[in-house]
Amino acid sequence: MRKLLACALFLLPALCSAANPYAGKFYADGGAAKPQFALTFDDGPGLITEDLLKLLERRGAKASFFMLGTAARSFSDRAKKVADGGHLVCNHTYTHLLWKKEAKKPGHEELLLKELARAEASIKSASGVTTWLLRMPNG
């Protein structure tokens, strides 16, 4: 698992914009000085994405959408609406494999790199955004 995380963290800066001050950093929680929370959605875009976007717009809220490459390809119009709405578009891999299981198999590093690259290409094609934040499936 340590190799898998190192592999993901190695690739992430390559997917990031050099102008982004958060690029390549790892975050587990926020600062204690200002109470905040982050609203995040996984595995989309999907069937409820447009309803979520309408609700967020009515409330004046922004969220992070961790997109699967397969979903971004299937629902490219919804991925574009997420980006156009000013929400953070993020990478959640291409097919949502169970990485704790995959990490035990030979060649898992190459599979992860392929998953991330395929997801990035699909998400960028659909939304027009290059992601800089990754959430691994299943923790």
Side-chain angles (χ1 to χ4, degrees), residues 40-75:
T40 66
F41 299 99
D42 285 2
D43 305 340
L47 299 177
I48 65 167
T49 300
E50 291 178 289
D51 291 335
L52 287 172
L53 291 172
K54 288 175 189 173
L55 177 63
L56 291 167
E57 185 177 357
R58 280 197 309 268
R59 299 294 184 188
K62 299 296 180 194
S64 301
F65 287 78
F66 288 85
M67 296 186 184
L68 293 172
T70 54
R73 191 184 74 224
S74 296
F75 298 104

Side-chain angles (χ1 to χ4, degrees), residues 66-113:
F66 288 85
M67 296 186 184
L68 293 172
T70 54
R73 191 184 74 224
S74 296
F75 298 104
S76 59
D77 58 325
R78 295 172 190 168
K80 181 73 172 138
K81 287 179 183 179
V82 169
D84 289 349
H87 302 279
L88 185 59
V89 176
C90 311
N91 193 327
H92 196 46
T93 72
Y94 191 74
T95 60
H96 206 284
L97 292 173
L98 180 57
W99 288 105
K100 291 177 184 176
K101 181 179 175 184
E102 293 299 320
K104 297 175 185 175
K105 297 179 182 177
H108 66 274
E109 291 98 347
E110 292 81 14
L111 177 59
L112 175 60
L113 292 173

Side-chain angles (χ1 to χ4, degrees), residues 8-29 38-40 62-67 83 86-93 116 119-121 123-124 127-136:
L9 292 176
F10 170 77
L11 180 63
L12 191 57
L15 299 174
C16 300
S17 165
N20 187 332
Y22 304 107
K25 296 181 181 177
F26 180 81
Y27 295 93
D29 58 26
L39 186 56
T40 66
K62 299 296 180 194
S64 301
F65 287 78
F66 288 85
M67 296 186 184
H87 302 279
L88 185 59
V89 176
C90 311
N91 193 327
H92 196 46
T93 72
L116 293 176
E120 180 61 31
I123 294 166
K124 185 169 184 169
S127 69
V129 173
T130 299
T131 65
W132 60 270
L133 191 58
L134 165 70
R135 177 180 287 163
M136 290 299 291

